[in-house]
Amino acid sequence: MAKGGLRYGAGRPGWHGKVEHCRSIDVRRFQRENMLKPGSWSWQWRDAETQEVVSSIGIIGAATHMILSYATEGVNIREHIDITRTPCKLGGSRAWFRCPRCHGRVAKLHLRGGRFACRQCQRLTYSSQSEDLIGRLWRQQAKIEAKLARNWQRPKHMHQSTFERLRQRLWDLESAREDAFADFVGRLGLIL
Ligand SMILES: [Zn+2]
């Protein structure tokens, strides 16, 4: 994990930050911790080596959104993040954040410049090959999603069997992408 002294873009035009240098929140993690419901929590980031808490945010939860509150450079910020859901393979649903900037559906939001937003909006890149693989998987997923109705629902004209095949493909792509990401994160020895 990068330690102090990293200055984004300082004197380096065109240089993009890397995902691994940013604080982020992951909706899958929040779902596992049962935080996507009414309540209030605090979320902390720890240094990968020393395990010391390096920063934290307050979260006020609800079923359909969460309010993040935190201070950055002495300014208190409250950010409203919408939560949306898609159906899961084994029943139930999977949660996503809506990026507050582009309203895209994403698993993770990254803190940069005092605000949370998706990787694209924050202009963050992954390292090398993982980025290529993950990008490819996303593009395949986007093509299939374009054939389906909103939130992975079956369009009226589509046969049930076609729909089930496409949705299965989405789940496969999703787990392949998560594996690629876990692999990439693992190689960097990060704690997320
Ligand atoms: Zn975005």
Side-chain angles (χ1 to χ4, degrees):
M1 188 157 179
K3 285 195 168 174
L6 187 74
R7 294 167 64 213
Y8 287 116
R12 299 171 65 175
W15 187 81
H16 287 180
K18 299 275 185 223
V19 156
E20 59 270 31
H21 295 150
C22 278
R23 308 236 151 91
S24 63
I25 52 174
D26 186 328
V27 76
R28 292 161 294 190
R29 186 84 189 276
F30 284 7
Q31 190 163 28
R32 277 203 301 277
E33 309 273 347
N34 199 19
M35 289 163 58
L36 305 179
K37 60 177 188 184
S40 66
W41 295 272
S42 118
W43 191 255
Q44 300 173 328
W45 287 270
R46 289 170 189 276
D47 184 286
E49 285 162 30
T50 65
Q51 291 299 304
E52 240 174 90
V53 173
V54 287
S55 65
S56 68
I57 56 173
I59 298 172
I60 297 169
T64 56
H65 67 271
M66 51 177 48
I67 309 276
L68 309 180
S69 61
Y70 51 97
T72 177
E73 293 179 3
V75 180
N76 290 323
I77 295 181
R78 277 167 73 85
E79 188 136 56
H80 178 112
I81 309 286
D82 279 323
I83 291 164
T84 179
R85 290 169 191 278
T86 52
C88 270
K89 194 175 184 172
L90 305 170
S93 64
R94 172 171 178 177
W96 304 83
F97 291 132
R98 282 233 176 257
C99 169
R101 245 180 253 179
C102 67
H103 305 287
R105 203 182 57 214
V106 290
K108 295 185 79 165
L109 293 172
H110 304 271
L111 180 62
R112 194 181 188 197
R115 291 285 174 182
F116 282 93
C118 75
R119 187 175 68 82
Q120 275 87 0
C121 288
Q122 300 288 43
R123 300 170 65 82
L124 296 168
T125 57
Y126 295 115
S127 298
S128 61
Q129 316 106 309
S130 312
E131 181 174 27
D132 299 342
L133 175 59
I134 291 167
R136 242 179 359 254
L137 294 168
W138 268 123
R139 284 192 293 278
Q140 290 174 26
Q141 179 167 341
K143 270 191 205 161
I144 297 174
E145 285 187 328
K147 295 178 184 170
L148 299 180
R150 206 175 137 80
N151 289 340
W152 299 8
Q153 299 299 311
R154 182 171 68 90
K156 283 200 183 83
H157 62 272
M158 187 179 277
H159 283 292
Q160 185 66 28
S161 58
T162 310
F163 170 63
E164 279 168 15
R165 186 171 50 77
L166 290 177
R167 205 169 48 168
Q168 181 60 51
R169 183 79 186 118
L170 281 178
W171 281 317
D172 292 346
L173 283 168
E174 201 171 75
S175 52
R177 201 178 61 240
E178 276 166 17
D179 290 349
F181 189 73
D183 176 51
F184 149 70
V185 166
R187 271 186 281 123
L188 292 167
L190 294 176
I191 292 181
L192 289 183

